[in-house]
Amino acid sequence: MLAKGILWVLRILVGGLFIFSGLIKVNDPVGTAIKLEEYFDVFSNDIAGFFIYLKPIALYLAVFLVVLEVVLGVMLILGVRSKLTVWSLTGMILFFTFLTFFSAYFNKVTDCGCFGDAIKLTPWESFYKDIILLVMILGILALKKHLPKSSSAWQKRVVWLVGVFCFVLSLTAIKNLPFIDFRAYKVGVNIPTNMQPSEPLQYSYVMKKDGELLTMDQYPTDKSYEFVEMNLKNPEALPKISDFSVWNESGDQSDFIFAGNKVLILSPNMGKFDQDNLPDIHDLVKNMEGAPVDVVLMAAAPQEEIDAFISKNGWSIIGMQSDATVVKTIIRSNPGIVIMKDGTVLAKYHHNNTPTASEALDLFIQ
């Protein structure tokens, strides 16, 4: 009886965590694909070159993995095909543990994306989380003789429905934008404010004197102390945005972006700029002419490529450069549209949902 009780608790904990983690990523499979691409880049350089060939299918792999996480979590809790489920979870957690250890030990990918953008973990925190999960799954394996031997038809139907539901959700998020935006550039955020500490940063100083380590809140004036390290006491006050930048030949243009009414057309990769809805974007740009709004093409590309694209489409707008990671963080679409006023994000659109000029202008007067 005790063994069954322990097993039930482990099934709830492990299954619940996999469901929670998977649902967060089902909300943003493009973000998971971006993270996989980072790993493939690193692995192709440090482990084996063939990993680079996985980058083109990163989005497909992301959808498969995030849906699988949720489905396996539900199967574990309901007791559907229990042994297959537990062995599948073991394989998945071993894979994740390898990724997080590699990230932590070699400091290659500083955010594993385990919980998407909802909960940020350091590489070592991610690794320790996976170790705890691995121990719990091994506990389930040790007690596998007590797992359900069969499941009812309704339980199997629930698993299928969950799988289909998550698959549809992930496709919807890809063709639009994440249902819930956990990033620092979400609607309602003032970007310049998020680039500043939420309160004054406070530091402690580890000093050494006569072979003894001392921690001080103020840097000592006594020169007999030897400096060892400085530690931030309130890391929660750090700016939520630390890498935003936009520039052209004249230098940094962040202040320009943060002033007045702006319609930003963003592209993290001009070579993969989706042309399907270009006519809608063209109408938006043309119908904005004469309005008190600056339309900016903000792309991770050389200025010459940006200017050539603008000229090719006959647009009278401003072209600026930005970092690909920043653009991918702001918008999960290539291209995507962001409406801003005085640095505050008013709306974000996938190119499949490009707003009309009238809809965009209405946002500035609300």
Side-chain angles (χ1 to χ4, degrees):
M1 183 64 71
L2 178 61
K4 288 185 177 180
I6 294 173
L7 179 60
W8 180 244
V9 171
L10 290 175
R11 286 168 60 193
I12 293 293
L13 290 174
V14 173
L17 192 56
F18 268 84
I19 292 170
F20 175 71
S21 173
L23 284 176
I24 287 176
K25 292 190 285 255
V26 163
N27 171 71
D28 183 16
V30 175
T32 300
I34 291 170
K35 192 56 59 179
L36 287 176
E37 288 177 354
E38 287 185 47
Y39 278 113
F40 295 153
D41 276 331
V42 171
F43 291 167
S44 66
N45 291 321
D46 295 358
I47 299 178
F50 76 85
F51 279 103
I52 200 69
Y53 297 109
L54 296 178
K55 285 186 68 175
I57 61 170
L59 185 57
Y60 302 102
L61 290 173
V63 171
F64 172 75
L65 287 173
V66 300
V67 173
L68 184 63
E69 271 194 81
V70 180
V71 168
L72 288 177
V74 172
M75 289 174 68
L76 181 65
I77 292 174
L78 293 182
V80 177
R81 302 197 68 179
S82 297
K83 290 185 179 179
L84 173 64
T85 299
V86 176
W87 283 113
S88 299
L89 287 171
T90 303
M92 184 172 279
I93 196 60
L94 286 172
F95 172 67
F96 288 155
T97 303
F98 165 73
L99 290 185
T100 52
F101 173 77
F102 189 90
S103 299
Y105 188 80
F106 295 102
N107 196 31
K108 293 288 187 176
V109 180
T110 56
D111 174 18
C112 74
C114 303
F115 297 110
D117 291 291
I119 302 174
K120 293 290 189 180
L121 299 177
T122 66
W124 282 115
E125 287 172 344
S126 300
F127 174 68
Y128 297 144
K129 179 266 297 178
D130 286 342
I131 289 294
I132 293 170
L133 259 177
L134 178 59
V135 169
M136 289 194 288
I137 293 174
L138 291 176
I140 295 174
L141 276 174
L143 300 170
K144 65 179 183 296
K145 68 179 181 179
H146 298 293
L147 287 168
K149 301 296 187 295
S150 61
S151 53
S152 62
W154 74 264
Q155 290 173 316
K156 294 176 182 176
R157 281 196 292 268
V158 168
V159 171
W160 277 103
L161 287 172
V162 167
V164 171
F165 178 70
C166 289
F167 181 69
V168 171
L169 278 183
S170 64
L171 291 185
T172 304
I174 291 169
K175 291 182 177 297
N176 298 277
L177 289 177
F179 304 98
I180 304 173
D181 192 348
F182 294 106
R183 286 157 288 154
Y185 297 94
K186 63 186 177 183
V187 172
V189 159
N190 183 271
I191 297 176
T193 298
N194 263 14
M195 293 172 67
Q196 302 299 320
S198 58
E199 61 184 62
L201 300 180
Q202 302 172 21
Y203 295 91
S204 63
Y205 305 90
V206 179
M207 311 298 294
K208 188 175 183 180
K209 184 176 183 180
D210 299 330
E212 183 180 357
L213 293 178
L214 301 170
T215 301
M216 303 179 174
D217 290 333
Q218 300 292 330
Y219 195 90
T221 56
D222 187 342
K223 294 185 178 180
S224 63
Y225 286 95
E226 179 186 349
F227 174 78
V228 177
E229 64 178 354
M230 180 174 67
N231 298 312
L232 182 63
K233 295 169 63 177
N234 55 340
E236 69 282 353
L238 285 169
K240 294 181 175 63
I241 297 174
S242 59
D243 55 356
F244 181 89
S245 60
V246 57
W247 65 92
N248 59 15
E249 301 96 329
S250 301
D252 183 80
Q253 298 296 320
S254 299
D255 288 342
F256 171 77
I257 293 294
F258 298 148
N261 301 330
K262 297 290 185 291
V263 172
L264 307 180
I265 302 169
L266 292 95
S267 174
N269 185 334
M270 292 293 292
K272 296 183 179 180
F273 193 103
D274 196 307
Q275 304 285 318
D276 289 348
N277 296 292
L278 190 57
D280 294 333
I281 297 175
H282 181 79
D283 289 343
L284 171 65
V285 170
K286 286 298 183 180
N287 292 328
M288 277 290 178
E289 292 179 0
V293 178
D294 296 307
V295 182
V296 179
L297 174 58
M298 180 174 153
Q303 190 67 44
E304 297 79 10
E305 184 177 352
I306 297 171
D307 293 341
F309 185 86
I310 292 173
S311 177
K312 176 184 175 182
N313 287 281
W315 295 347
S316 298
I317 66 174
I318 304 164
M320 293 187 179
Q321 297 175 264
S322 188
D323 178 74
T325 300
V326 171
V327 178
K328 289 177 184 178
T329 305
I330 296 173
I331 196 78
R332 299 296 203 220
S333 173
N334 185 15
I337 297 96
V338 175
I339 313 296
M340 287 176 46
K341 182 174 184 177
D342 296 328
T344 297
V345 179
L346 302 181
K348 297 165 73 171
Y349 299 92
H350 192 285
H351 61 79
N352 288 332
N353 305 306
T354 300
T356 64
S358 177
E359 290 170 339
L361 290 170
D362 285 344
L363 291 169
F364 295 118
I365 60 177
Q366 289 178 359

